[in-house]
Amino acid sequence: MKTKLILIAIVFGANINAADAQVKQRSHVQAHRIHQGVKSGELTKAERKNLIEDQKEIHQDVKLAKADGKVTAGERRIIRKEQKQESREIYRKKHNNRERN
């Protein structure tokens, strides 16, 4: 019985760590996309500033979720939703026809 509980705890813990890793990886990829957009001239300075502020807000949400020691499924869902919206925003800003600085 003890071994089953330990095994379940290990598997559950691995899933949480994998989910946290996905959130972290996506944040890293989005930051890279912003940097690439600035480097290629697809993003203006104002667009870059706005996107970086959005990334900081998501990072704050992640810190708040981890503050109590456990990131719940609901918190992960909210963070993923924010990251998905931010990904769309990066795409839109990189593909609009704004004058680049």
Side-chain angles (χ1 to χ4, degrees):
M1 181 67 173
K2 265 188 177 179
T3 56
K4 285 184 180 180
L5 290 176
I6 293 171
L7 184 59
I8 290 170
I10 291 172
V11 170
F12 184 70
N15 287 338
I16 290 175
N17 289 337
D20 289 342
Q22 288 174 344
V23 167
K24 193 175 206 176
Q25 175 66 21
R26 191 167 191 173
S27 291
H28 178 71
V29 168
Q30 287 180 350
H32 178 72
R33 288 174 58 206
I34 293 169
H35 176 72
Q36 184 275 330
V38 170
K39 191 174 177 181
S40 68
E42 293 175 308
L43 293 173
T44 64
K45 290 178 184 178
E47 289 170 336
R48 175 192 157 274
K49 182 179 177 186
N50 183 273
L51 291 171
I52 289 175
E53 286 298 317
D54 292 344
Q55 289 291 313
K56 286 180 183 178
E57 288 176 18
I58 293 171
H59 182 69
Q60 281 298 107
D61 290 343
V62 170
K63 284 176 69 173
L64 280 172
K66 289 182 177 181
D68 62 356
K70 183 177 181 182
V71 180
T72 65
E75 290 169 333
R76 277 195 306 276
R77 186 172 45 252
I78 290 168
I79 292 167
R80 284 189 195 127
K81 183 178 178 182
E82 289 174 351
Q83 286 182 319
K84 188 175 181 178
Q85 289 171 341
E86 184 63 14
S87 181
R88 288 184 191 135
E89 190 66 21
I90 293 168
Y91 178 85
R92 286 184 191 119
K93 288 186 178 186
K94 284 177 75 173
H95 291 87
N96 62 16
N97 292 323
R98 296 270 166 97
E99 184 69 29
R100 308 301 184 224
N101 296 331

